Amino acid sequence: MAVIIRRLEFFFITLWAALTLNFILPRLMPGDPALAMMARYRGRLNPAALNALEVAFGLKTKQNIFQQYVSYLNNTIHLQFGTSVTYFPDSVIHVVFQALPWTLALAGITTVISFVLGTFIGMIVAWRRGGAVDGLLTPGFVILSAVPYFWLGLIAIYVFSVSHAFLPLGFGYDEGSTIQLSWPFVKQVLAHATLPAITIILTSIGGWILTMRNNMLGTLSEDYVRMARAKGLSSLRTMMLYAGRNAILPNLTGFALALGFVVSGLLLTEIVFSYPGVGYLFLQAVDNEDFPLMQALFLFVTVAVLLAVLLADVVNALLDPRTRSHS
Amino acid sequence: MYGNATLDDGALPITPRSSGAAWLRLPARMLSAVSSNRKAVFGLLILGVFTAMAIFAPLIAPYNPHGTDFLPSATPSRDHLLGTTSYGQDILSQVIWGARQTLIIGGLAGLAATLLSVLVGVSAAYLGGIADHILSVFVDIFLVIPALPLMIIIAAYAKGGGMWVLIGVIAITGWSFGARQIRPQALSLRNRDFLESARVRGESSAYIILFELLPNMISLTVAIFLGAALYAVLAAAGLQFIGLGNADEISWGTMLYWGENNEALMTGSPLWIMIPGACIALLGASVALINYAVDELGNPSLRVTRRKRVRRAPRT
């Protein structure tokens, strides 16, 4: 329990840090890009929206920095991020909420597949260390994890377009169809997600394999593994339940560290595939210098990552008896 | 090799030395150890070729990489081994010149991130107490805040800042991973006898950290640098690909940006995107392979012995 409370504490501290970073960044930048953005806005936005933006970017000179900070926090808690330049007159929050589910689904599914598959392959590779599988797979995945996600995506698009695609090469669903919860539509979505998902899994799995392999090499030299062998247990049983099971926990801890990289790669992959998620929105925001949208996206991605890390920590605490006995 | 080093700390190779000469001896030993590892040799070879390309770009490149005087979107020919872009630039020349900025960003951003992580990690371990606690939380915060969105925002605000903005942004987001690895090792070294004796001798903290502590962490520091450099190369490519930094500078990342924006893959000059991407992947792979080898050096249990399998004595 104490562990979970500590993790919750960390969650809120990090959340606060991200919020504060988000507040400070536009105020630190030289040349006042926010002012330039406001100039482009004038005449296009109603006074209330302009006012909200001024609060967000610290252009309200009547307020001191502390008052600005308080009203910024207040706005953020009430999910008021102002109006998007790119998707004017839609509000930022509306635009973000349309994109977020796509990214969450893609990230969730690919991360779970890649974690489970990578952990399993890592286990086998460590069990047969020095063998042909280890000698080929391990350096192979080391190399693959150094390939830029988005470039692999571009290559996938090229290969599938040349070889007369049987998989859609971009976007979240077929052009012209409306979003609905029906089997044909779900099938469409799955088909469209296949190539991005494969790209992400291929490039992110190497990390899991490598950490699992290294953890497993550690547990393989433990006495309890020797004991299992001495008892004459089958190889499969020793590998899965004795060595493997104990090597998984540190891999789960590594989850928190790796997630940031995976999310970064995922956002770029979305851009390549014009997938209607957060990454694609980011590109639109960069192209249009849409700072309110960018900052809201940063916050939402951070919150999503923090929640995932919290979840991994809680699972870890529940699974690891050592963390329980500390309390 | 670390054959005769004292390995009382589990896997970490720690060779207590009380003279600054360790700065000179350790790298030499590491070099000889690395050169006996096939993966590392392969990695160093690729890195060497790219470095040569970057240094001698003006001599090797057949044309001016900016020059737009050729037939656009030409397929590979004797004059243009990799064809031309849809602006009429020679792709091969761009690839050769592009190595320069890509390597500079990778090296400098990796170096800056490493310095930051050593600074924070060692300070946390050495200061201890509340300072350690605060610094550790700080490291953890930077570790989980997703880097790419943060980099995008900063780079977007510092519009068109070019290479230096990229280096700064990557260093700011890339140091925490290393700091997290440095701290425990510095902590385990902190109370060693050779550091204690230096303290008793009355050496200053700065001297102890620079000449006693750091030389003993050099293999970890090298591993962290390689990791940070790999991260920097990939991050820079990603940022330049979406048009951040200065798109008029020539690097593999900006080539990808222009190629993608002109739909090079679909309009008959796929090499415009294939080659720079493959170069980034190769460079990344070379760094990852060297890193993997250094990892094996630092952690002997990862080393796979390539000896012949000894048959167990028949059971009786």
Side-chain angles (χ1 to χ4, degrees):
Chain A
M1 211 47 220
V3 177
I4 293 176
I5 289 174
R6 241 197 353 262
R7 297 322 298 178
L8 266 176
E9 222 175 80
F10 176 70
F11 172 80
F12 283 111
I13 292 177
T14 315
L15 189 61
W16 169 77
L19 279 170
T20 309
L21 204 59
N22 208 22
F23 173 78
I24 295 173
L25 275 179
R27 287 167 176 78
L28 272 184
M29 290 301 160
D32 235 330
L35 216 58
M37 184 187 70
M38 296 296 292
R40 287 195 293 127
Y41 266 143
R42 234 163 272 284
R44 289 176 57 196
L45 289 184
N46 59 37
L50 270 180
N51 186 50
L53 278 174
E54 280 170 357
V55 172
F57 289 94
L59 303 175
K60 266 259 161 59
T61 37
K62 271 170 274 171
Q63 287 187 314
N64 65 32
I65 191 95
F66 183 71
Q67 286 167 321
Q68 286 177 27
Y69 185 56
V70 172
S71 47
Y72 157 79
L73 283 183
N74 189 38
N75 279 349
T76 307
I77 289 166
H78 293 100
L79 299 180
Q80 284 171 358
F81 296 97
T83 312
S84 160
V85 194
T86 321
Y87 297 92
F88 186 79
D90 279 349
S91 68
V92 167
I93 193 70
H94 176 75
V95 176
V96 172
F97 275 172
Q98 273 185 337
L100 210 54
W102 293 95
T103 297
L104 287 181
L106 190 62
I109 292 170
T110 51
T111 309
V112 168
I113 293 179
S114 148
F115 179 79
V116 172
L117 214 61
T119 305
F120 193 70
I121 296 177
M123 198 189 296
I124 292 170
V125 159
W127 184 253
R128 317 210 46 147
R129 67 190 176 285
V133 184
D134 185 28
L136 275 177
L137 273 187
T138 313
F141 276 109
V142 168
I143 292 172
L144 209 54
S145 63
V147 173
Y149 284 45
F150 60 94
W151 182 67
L152 201 66
L154 288 172
I155 298 300
I157 291 180
Y158 182 63
V159 168
F160 276 79
S161 72
V162 168
S163 64
H164 304 292
F166 55 91
L167 278 172
L169 302 175
F171 304 103
Y173 45 89
D174 290 348
E175 216 177 323
S177 47
T178 45
I179 297 179
Q180 53 188 324
L181 204 69
S182 66
W183 178 234
F185 185 74
V186 170
K187 241 174 27 190
Q188 249 181 57
V189 169
L190 287 179
H192 279 268
T194 307
L195 269 190
I198 290 176
T199 320
I200 294 163
I201 291 171
L202 268 181
T203 32
S204 63
I205 200 170
W208 303 122
I209 293 180
L210 219 59
T211 18
M212 184 62 187
R213 176 180 179 270
N214 292 0
N215 297 337
M216 180 92 167
L217 288 180
T219 56
L220 276 176
S221 57
E222 296 282 349
D223 284 339
Y224 54 77
V225 173
R226 191 168 309 150
M227 171 73 180
R229 283 204 183 109
K231 280 200 292 191
L233 295 181
S234 70
S235 289
L236 191 71
R237 202 177 155 88
T238 318
M239 177 178 89
M240 303 278 284
L241 296 181
Y242 283 74
R245 196 173 161 189
N246 284 294
I248 287 177
L249 279 183
N251 215 20
L252 203 58
T253 319
F255 184 82
L257 304 181
L259 202 60
F261 292 100
V262 176
V263 167
S264 300
L266 180 102
L267 296 183
L268 289 171
T269 309
E270 278 185 3
I271 292 174
V272 168
F273 286 98
S274 307
Y275 200 74
V278 169
Y280 192 61
L281 265 192
F282 247 122
L283 183 68
Q284 305 300 319
V286 168
D287 283 349
N288 295 299
E289 291 174 48
D290 189 347
F291 293 113
L293 181 55
M294 252 185 259
Q295 296 202 280
L297 286 174
F298 165 66
L299 272 188
F300 275 97
V301 173
T302 306
V303 170
V305 167
L306 285 181
L307 283 174
V309 169
L310 184 68
L311 188 72
D313 281 336
V314 170
V315 170
N316 204 358
L318 291 177
L319 290 179
D320 193 342
R322 279 168 304 185
T323 55
R324 271 200 303 259
S325 61
H326 275 305
S327 54
Chain B
M1 288 272 212
Y2 292 103
N4 43 13
T6 44
L7 288 174
D8 48 352
D9 200 61
L12 302 171
I14 284 157
T15 41
R17 288 187 183 279
S18 51
S19 76
W23 275 117
L24 300 174
R25 238 172 291 145
L26 261 164
R29 275 209 279 165
M30 273 177 63
L31 204 68
S32 78
V34 162
S35 64
S36 64
N37 184 312
R38 272 192 310 178
K39 292 187 203 93
V41 170
F42 191 60
L44 283 173
L45 211 67
I46 304 173
L47 190 61
V49 170
F50 281 142
T51 313
M53 238 163 87
I55 295 174
F56 301 112
L59 301 176
I60 310 170
Y63 306 103
N64 171 9
H66 289 283
T68 53
D69 0 83
F70 306 110
L71 203 67
S73 301
T75 47
S77 63
R78 191 180 301 225
D79 287 337
H80 304 284
L81 289 177
L82 298 177
T84 60
T85 70
S86 55
Y87 298 110
Q89 301 147 316
D90 180 51
I91 292 180
L92 179 64
S93 302
Q94 288 209 330
V95 169
I96 292 171
W97 276 93
R100 205 171 251 203
Q101 203 194 54
T102 309
L103 281 179
I104 291 175
I105 291 179
L108 287 185
L111 201 65
T114 310
L115 284 177
L116 271 173
S117 36
V118 170
L119 186 73
V120 176
V122 169
S123 309
Y126 201 80
L127 295 171
I130 184 83
D132 181 15
H133 190 71
I134 292 173
L135 283 175
S136 297
V137 171
F138 194 60
V139 171
D140 282 347
I141 289 175
F142 265 88
L143 214 49
V144 291
I145 289 183
L148 186 78
L150 188 58
M151 288 194 288
I152 290 180
I153 290 182
I154 302 178
Y157 272 125
K159 190 171 178 282
M163 189 175 88
W164 294 104
V165 169
L166 291 182
I167 291 176
V169 168
I170 293 167
I172 290 171
T173 54
W175 61 273
S176 53
F177 200 74
R180 169 118 167 193
Q181 290 170 285
I182 283 274
R183 186 183 155 271
Q185 190 166 13
L187 211 55
S188 84
L189 283 168
R190 202 170 92 101
N191 297 320
R192 291 305 177 82
D193 289 342
F194 70 101
L195 284 187
E196 202 55 56
S197 74
R199 253 174 247 134
V200 173
R201 285 205 307 272
E203 307 284 10
S204 67
S205 293
Y207 175 88
I208 294 176
I209 289 177
L210 275 178
F211 294 102
E212 303 279 351
L213 198 61
L214 288 185
N216 284 302
M217 298 201 302
I218 213 163
S219 83
L220 180 61
T221 312
V222 169
I224 287 174
F225 168 72
L226 291 171
L230 172 60
Y231 167 78
V233 167
L234 292 179
L239 289 174
Q240 290 183 323
F241 173 66
I242 56 177
L244 292 165
N246 183 351
D248 293 330
E249 290 169 359
I250 287 189
S251 79
W252 295 335
T254 52
M255 285 183 75
L256 287 174
Y257 169 75
W258 290 113
E260 169 72 354
N261 275 6
N262 290 288
E263 303 198 338
L265 286 177
M266 305 300 160
T267 55
S269 30
L271 292 178
W272 192 1
I273 282 180
M274 298 276 226
I275 299 294
C279 285
I280 293 170
L282 262 177
L283 176 63
S286 77
V287 176
L289 283 174
I290 299 171
N291 198 3
Y292 186 66
V294 170
D295 217 24
E296 282 185 340
L297 285 178
N299 188 351
S301 73
L302 300 182
R303 230 173 288 160
V304 173
T305 40
R306 229 173 268 287
R307 59 170 179 221
K308 288 212 174 71
R309 210 170 271 257
V310 182
R311 295 297 311 172
R312 250 171 285 172
R315 272 171 236 171
T316 46

